[in-house]
Amino acid sequence: MAARQGELTIVCKAKDLVNHTLTVTNNPKLFPKKGRFTLCQRMQDVVLQILHNILAANEIFPDNRQKMEQRLDLQKEVLTNCKVFLTFLDVALEQNYIDIRRCEYWTGLTTDVKNMAAAWRKKDAERFNRILAEKKAQAQRQPQGQPPPRPIGQQYPRR
C-alpha cells in the first residue's frame, strides 16, 4: 500500500480491499461465469458498501446524540459487512474458486479493515459516553429555572 497523504488509514485499507476484490473477482480464470454473476457480484457489492460506510461515518461530525448514533451505526455496519465478506471468502474457498494462499491474503486485508473499524467504533463510543456523562453532570449542577452562568468577561446583550 502506498502512503496516501491526508487519508485515514482505514480508508486506504478499505480501498486496497476493494481494488483487490475487483481484480480477483473479475478474473475469469478464477471465477467461472456462474460464480461471477452470483458470488462475485455480492462480494463486490459488500466491499464497496464497506468503503461507502467508512467514508459516510467519517463525514459525520457528532455534535449531538442523533449524529453520534448514526456514526456508530455506520461503523457497526462496516463490522457486519466485514463478517459477511469473510463468509463469502470461505464459500469461494470451499467452491475451489480460490486457493488457501489467496484466501489467507484476502482474509488479512479484510481483518485489517475490520480491526481498524472495531477500534474506531470503540474509541468513538467511549468518547461519546464521556461527553454525554459530562453533559448530564453539567445539567444536574445547573439550578433549574436560572440562566446558565455567563463566561467571565462576556457582557449581557444591550436592549
Side-chain angles (χ1 to χ4, degrees):
M1 175 186 80
R4 297 172 200 135
Q5 192 171 353
E7 252 184 6
L8 283 176
T9 306
I10 191 171
V11 173
C12 295
K13 293 283 188 181
K15 283 182 177 180
D16 291 343
L17 177 60
V18 168
N19 287 324
H20 184 74
T21 300
L22 294 175
T23 300
V24 174
T25 55
N26 285 327
N27 184 343
K29 293 178 183 172
L30 293 174
F31 288 92
K33 198 176 218 177
K34 67 180 181 176
R36 279 197 314 269
F37 293 115
T38 53
L39 183 60
C40 291
Q41 186 64 51
R42 290 184 185 197
M43 291 172 82
Q44 291 172 356
D45 290 345
V46 169
V47 295
L48 290 169
Q49 191 63 47
I50 289 169
L51 179 59
H52 175 271
N53 289 343
I54 289 168
L55 294 170
N58 192 49
E59 287 298 312
I60 295 172
F61 182 75
D63 57 358
N64 63 45
R65 185 180 202 94
Q66 180 185 4
K67 289 180 182 177
M68 288 181 207
E69 290 173 357
Q70 186 181 12
R71 181 166 159 144
L72 289 171
D73 287 347
L74 286 165
Q75 292 166 336
K76 183 178 178 184
E77 197 171 325
V78 169
L79 294 171
T80 301
N81 283 333
C82 284
K83 290 177 186 174
V84 168
F85 188 75
L86 289 169
T87 304
F88 288 162
L89 287 178
D90 285 342
V91 170
L93 180 64
E94 291 166 3
Q95 292 295 313
N96 295 316
Y97 294 144
I98 57 174
D99 61 24
I100 190 70
R101 183 187 56 80
R102 190 178 304 270
C103 186
E104 287 172 352
Y105 177 76
W106 217 340
T107 298
L109 292 174
T110 309
T111 53
D112 284 349
V113 172
K114 181 180 164 215
N115 292 339
M116 292 177 88
W120 182 27
R121 187 172 193 274
K122 181 180 178 185
K123 188 175 178 181
D124 272 1
E126 288 170 354
R127 184 176 33 151
F128 299 155
N129 287 332
R130 188 180 68 246
I131 290 169
L132 290 174
E134 288 170 1
K135 284 183 178 181
K136 185 176 181 180
Q138 185 180 17
Q140 289 174 346
R141 287 191 304 263
Q142 181 73 31
Q144 292 200 354
Q146 292 183 7
R150 63 186 170 93
I152 297 173
Q154 183 179 356
Q155 297 200 359
Y156 286 112
R158 295 183 183 193
R159 293 184 189 198

